[in-house]
Amino acid sequence: MPTSGNHLLIPRNLNGYVLAGAASLNWDDSTPLEYWEGMVLDGAPARVTGLNLPEKGLSARIPRPLSELDRLAVLRHHRNRLTGAIPSELEQLADLRELGRSPTS
């Protein structure tokens, strides 16, 4: 199981898992994980517990590899142009309590 969010580079860049559009996220190896835009970390060692990505101009499908964030509790992605169903693996995360396309869903 991953201990950090570094594998998030995979869904952003891998064929079939591209988060594209007008997004300009600072998710790269040159930026420390705790400074990644929208990233919420908790614990020691730090684990990704939230992704706050509303209104970022993202398009494509929600990447299935996000389900590897086994401590993910919150995924906010409203007001983007994401398509397709939410991956069932993501919905089954034990700590997930908020998964929504809008602030009230």
Side-chain angles (χ1 to χ4, degrees):
M1 297 210 172
T3 58
S4 74
N6 286 337
H7 74 284
L8 285 176
L9 293 170
I10 295 169
R12 187 156 168 78
N13 297 313
L14 187 66
N15 270 343
Y17 293 108
V18 176
L19 287 176
S24 178
L25 300 174
N26 64 343
W27 293 4
D28 60 52
D29 287 331
S30 66
T31 305
L33 186 62
E34 60 267 21
Y35 298 112
W36 282 14
E37 186 174 358
M39 187 78 56
V40 178
L41 303 175
D42 191 32
R47 303 292 290 264
V48 177
T49 59
L51 292 173
N52 294 308
L53 302 171
E55 301 181 54
K56 297 294 181 194
L58 300 172
S59 60
R61 295 182 171 269
I62 295 176
R64 190 172 310 279
L66 289 180
S67 63
E68 295 174 24
L69 297 170
D70 60 335
R71 299 285 190 237
L72 189 66
V74 175
L75 173 57
R76 293 185 183 113
H77 57 88
H78 58 280
R79 295 192 179 142
N80 285 296
R81 288 186 215 108
L82 299 175
T83 60
I86 293 169
S88 60
E89 297 89 345
L90 189 59
E91 293 179 309
Q92 295 171 11
L93 290 174
D95 293 338
L96 191 65
R97 65 178 188 274
E98 184 179 335
L99 174 62
R101 292 181 185 222
S102 70
T104 58
S105 65

